[in-house]
């Protein structure tokens, strides 16, 4: 499985989000390749799940991509809840 952490322009917030996703999937026992990128680049990348802020996910959502919105990119409990809800569904 591939999970792509996405931010608006740079790579700073998506990198922090990717690090936190890796922490959470480790505790959940999920095996995934986690990487990060900016919004423009993410539109050309293939992933099983795209994770980022609600505003970014709204721009990325096209009815085909599986997007997961996270309000607080640093909140491990929120990331865990979202991954559990969407990936283990």
């Amino acid at each position: 499985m591939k999970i792509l952490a996405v931010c608006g322009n740079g790579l700073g917030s998506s990198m922090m989000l990717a690090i936190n996703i890796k922490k959470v999937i480790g505790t959940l026992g999920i095996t995934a390749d986690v990487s990060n990128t900016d919004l423009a680049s993410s539109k050309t990348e293939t992933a099983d799940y795209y994770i980022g802020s609600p505003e970014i996910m709204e721009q990325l959502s096209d009815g085909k991509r599986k997007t997961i919105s996270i309000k607080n990119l640093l909140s491990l409990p929120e990331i865990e809840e979202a991954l559990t809800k969407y990936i283990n569904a």
Side-chain angles (χ1 to χ4, degrees):
M1 168 184 344
K2 181 173 180 180
I3 299 174
L4 191 59
V6 183
C7 68
N9 293 316
L11 296 174
S13 58
S14 65
M15 183 178 295
M16 289 186 294
L17 177 57
I19 290 167
N20 287 335
I21 292 169
K22 288 176 185 177
K23 289 178 185 176
V24 170
I25 64 172
T27 63
L28 294 176
I30 297 171
T31 302
D33 173 33
V34 181
S35 57
N36 63 293
T37 191
D38 62 278
L39 177 60
S41 299
S42 70
K43 292 181 179 182
T44 63
E45 290 195 42
T46 303
D48 295 298
Y49 294 93
Y50 300 81
I51 303 179
S53 68
E55 300 81 22
I56 299 299
M57 292 300 98
E58 185 177 301
Q59 294 179 54
L60 191 57
S61 181
D62 63 359
K64 297 176 186 174
R65 293 183 184 100
K66 294 178 184 175
T67 59
I68 301 173
S69 297
I70 303 290
K71 290 181 183 175
N72 182 348
L73 305 180
L74 301 177
S75 171
L76 295 179
E78 183 179 353
I79 294 168
E80 181 175 347
E81 181 181 334
L83 292 176
T84 301
K85 178 180 178 181
Y86 290 98
I87 294 178
N88 292 331

